[in-house]
Amino acid sequence: MNLTGRARPVADPAGRLVARSGLPTGASPRWEPPVTPLLDVRGVDKSFGPVQVLHEAALSVHPGEVTALVGDNGAGKSTLIKCLGGILPMDAGDVLFEGRPVRVSGPRDAAELGIEIVHQDFALCDNLSVAENMFLGRERRRGLVLDEADMERRAAQALAALSIRTVGSVRRPVGSLAGGQRQSVAIARAMLWGSRVVVLDEPTASLGLAHAQQVLEAARKLADRGLAVVLISHNMNDVFSVADRITALFLGRTVAQVRASEVTHTQVVELITSGRVTPTL
Amino acid sequence: MSIRTNKEAAVKVAANLADSGFAADRREQTLGTALTDYWTRVRSGDLGSLPAILGLVALVTLFTVLRPETFLSKGNIANLFVQALPVTILALGLVFVLLLGEIDLSAGVASGVCAAVMAKLIVEAGQPWFVAVAAALVTGLVIGTAIGALVSLVRIPSFVVTLALFLGLQGITLRLIGDGGTVPVRDDVVVALANRNMPIWLGWVLALVCVAGFAAVELLRHQRQRKRGLAGRPFGVTAARITVLAVAVLGGTYLLSLNRAATPSFDLRGVPWGVPLVALLVVVCTFVLGRTVYGRHVYAVGGNAEAARRAGINVTWIRMSVFMIGSFLAALSGIVLASRLNSVTPDLGANTTLLYAVGAAVIGGTSLFGGKGRAHDALLGGLVIATIDNGLGLLGAKAYANMLITGLVLLFAASIDALARRRRAATGR
């Protein structure tokens, strides 16, 4: 796949300082991006009982870019994503969408803003068909009656637009699909809605090599169309092959929000494992 | 939109889809491929109505051989239909509950409480039938709301909630009716439900409306799929479905329109009033489950509740509503049962009632694991159960044998369900 020829946005000179300083930045990134981020979450706290999972976590995502969200197991990546998708309520924190403060108190709020999450477990109903899953919770209807034909047509077009040809029929029950095909359906569902932000939670974790490549290509394709893509991944090769920005979480805190071009592989690994970067020279 | 632009749009969509590898949605199906597809589905564990139909054929053959004089007599066939009414209505409500993978063990005794409420209001308070029936239905809704709230809000397993109510509601019926008491039901309208017949002409008119309506819906769907460039069933299959339904409905109406009185001086013919009621309920439930957003959400919650929640579906409400529907239909079933027995006793709805209804739903093809089942499962399964009950009665089976056989039938149906599910998992469907 060709990821080298993509257009990088204008350089952002201030952006490097965060990681290089080697200090946890917490909720207030010290650099100002040139444009308002599409989605900007700050100061997110979240506890499960006595365990505080997120401490003032922050994440900014920009249109047309892939932002990789990295961190070790238990760093709070999935929790942060679920908070901004309205699936888990956050204890504290602000969400700015296009600079406006918004409230996300349920999956529907997130959907209305155009935030779509492709969950690690895909969150599909095995007993429903591909088309039924893609429109779940947002069924199209004419009067009282479901408009099946319209939904099937749109579902097929969305899959086709992502060059997903392996599903065969949109009437197949999702239970009969293989892992990679389910992933494709989940991604196609996320972009069916004129969504602005698409979050992919460890999309390549359970996939074979060839299909993982396809998914990464799809992520790039979405960003090139002007969507903001958040990619959660453990795989540094994946991160560096598609991400424009990298946000690192360490024990529930955001320790870096940097451009991918400004950090090295080793530095990111350091951020993930220790939450800091040893200053280079 | 004019037909022309429609056609152009269809061609365009067709072209797009052909490019995209979704040719399967457009593949022109023939009768042959439709049959192969069906056989593949059955082999991979998607049995549909097959066990119920095979079971019905086997049972009818068995009882005809064992009791050739009585089983297929006109009187007994009418009897069989009336016997199937309450169990079908109860099973219909259970289909909704089972679709979520939940269970309502109190549905049978809930129907008893509702029937007792109705009988007391008619006999002791002297209320007109519509007040009494409405009160019974409201009682059903209240019971369902209570179960639904305990299951969906408090999150007690439905098995435990309804097991507790199974005992508690029997207590309420006993308190209402009195130990060993019987409240006779003599109200004309209520008694007519299971004991009186429609005029012959009305029976035929309703049968024709039923067949014409089904044919119209099927043909319309066929035409719409063609128009939009999506493949549907081949015309042969659509025609076959219409024919089978027409034969069943018109044949049934014919049999019930013959004079079935035992003595020649007597004239007893016509379709019992309860039959169109059940038909209407099945049609409404089929529509709700298959064609509305609510129904889609019921299947979704039954398939994967967490996925449904993340898709923004109000899972708590869906869970609560199926118990309300279940108990509401249980109330209706209790009214029909009271009508058939002409009285309400403390054990109405107890004993085998619930087992029969669960058996009916499962034999019809509704899965105990949730996410799979249709409204007409209750109808087919109800007929199977009524046939067993009726046939055993004709054979003069003792109570112990009756219980044993009913228990075995339920176990057998549940085994088919579990094995089919394993088969589906193995073949990846």
Side-chain angles (χ1 to χ4, degrees), chain A residues 165-250:
Chain A
R165 290 153 193 273
T166 52
V167 175
S169 165
V170 293
R171 288 186 199 157
R172 270 178 81 178
V174 163
S176 72
L177 301 182
Q181 295 173 314
R182 287 154 170 262
Q183 175 76 268
S184 307
V185 172
I187 293 177
R189 170 169 73 177
M191 51 153 306
L192 192 60
W193 302 102
S195 36
R196 315 272 307 270
V197 182
V198 172
V199 182
L200 306 169
D201 191 353
E202 305 224 12
T204 55
S206 58
L207 300 183
L209 218 55
H211 202 88
Q213 280 301 320
Q214 278 180 31
V215 167
L216 292 176
E217 270 176 65
R220 191 66 244 170
K221 218 180 238 176
L222 292 179
D224 290 344
R225 285 198 207 168
L227 274 72
V229 178
V230 179
L231 176 79
I232 301 183
S233 184
H234 272 131
N235 185 328
M236 284 308 119
N237 290 331
D238 290 1
V239 168
F240 277 97
S241 69
V242 287
D244 300 295
R245 287 173 194 266
I246 297 176
T247 297
L249 282 179
F250 180 71

Side-chain angles (χ1 to χ4, degrees), chain B residues 110-369:
Chain B
S111 73
V113 171
C114 299
V117 166
M118 176 192 72
K120 290 281 273 191
L121 281 175
I122 292 176
V123 174
E124 284 172 25
Q127 296 291 333
W129 68 270
F130 49 87
V131 174
V133 166
L137 295 178
V138 169
T139 309
L141 267 184
V142 169
I143 295 171
T145 311
I147 302 172
L150 288 169
V151 172
S152 67
L153 299 176
V154 188
R155 299 300 279 132
I156 310 173
S158 58
F159 168 75
V160 176
V161 173
T162 56
L163 190 60
L165 279 182
F166 175 74
L167 201 65
L169 291 178
Q170 274 178 298
I172 293 180
T173 313
L174 201 58
R175 173 77 186 75
L176 284 174
I177 304 289
D179 208 354
T182 302
V183 180
V185 177
R186 296 217 182 80
D187 181 87
D188 275 345
V189 177
V190 175
V191 168
L193 260 182
N195 295 302
R196 307 253 188 288
N197 305 313
M198 294 193 286
I200 301 294
W201 64 267
L202 187 57
W204 281 112
V205 167
L206 286 182
L208 287 173
V209 167
C210 195
V211 172
F214 182 74
V217 169
E218 287 282 299
L219 291 173
L220 212 67
R221 179 184 301 168
H222 185 79
Q223 192 202 359
R224 189 172 297 149
Q225 282 175 336
R226 274 299 130 81
K227 207 169 67 184
R228 300 224 187 174
L230 292 159
R233 297 190 181 100
F235 187 76
V237 174
T238 303
R241 284 165 64 91
I242 297 172
T243 315
V244 167
L245 183 100
V247 167
V249 170
L250 297 177
T253 313
Y254 171 75
L255 282 175
L256 292 171
S257 300
L258 297 173
N259 187 7
R260 54 179 178 265
T263 45
S265 58
F266 213 67
D267 193 45
L268 182 64
R269 59 175 80 198
V271 179
W273 281 103
V275 173
L277 173 72
V278 168
L280 180 71
L281 288 174
V282 171
V283 169
V284 169
C285 290
T286 302
F287 175 79
V288 167
L289 284 177
R291 310 286 292 150
T292 67
V293 173
Y294 172 78
R296 178 63 45 82
H297 290 179
V298 168
Y299 283 103
V301 175
N304 185 343
E306 180 57 22
R309 192 176 76 85
R310 292 187 194 167
I313 295 171
N314 187 343
V315 176
T316 309
W317 159 243
I318 296 284
R319 209 171 258 144
M320 188 145 164
S321 65
V322 294
F323 286 102
M324 293 167 73
I325 294 172
S327 298
F328 179 81
L329 288 172
L332 208 53
S333 153
I335 294 166
V336 174
L337 194 55
S339 162
R340 187 163 90 80
L341 302 173
N342 282 311
S343 67
V344 177
T345 52
D347 66 348
L348 186 120
N351 302 330
T352 54
T353 313
L354 178 83
L355 224 61
Y356 276 171
V358 175
V362 175
I363 291 169
T366 297
S367 174
L368 290 165
F369 301 97

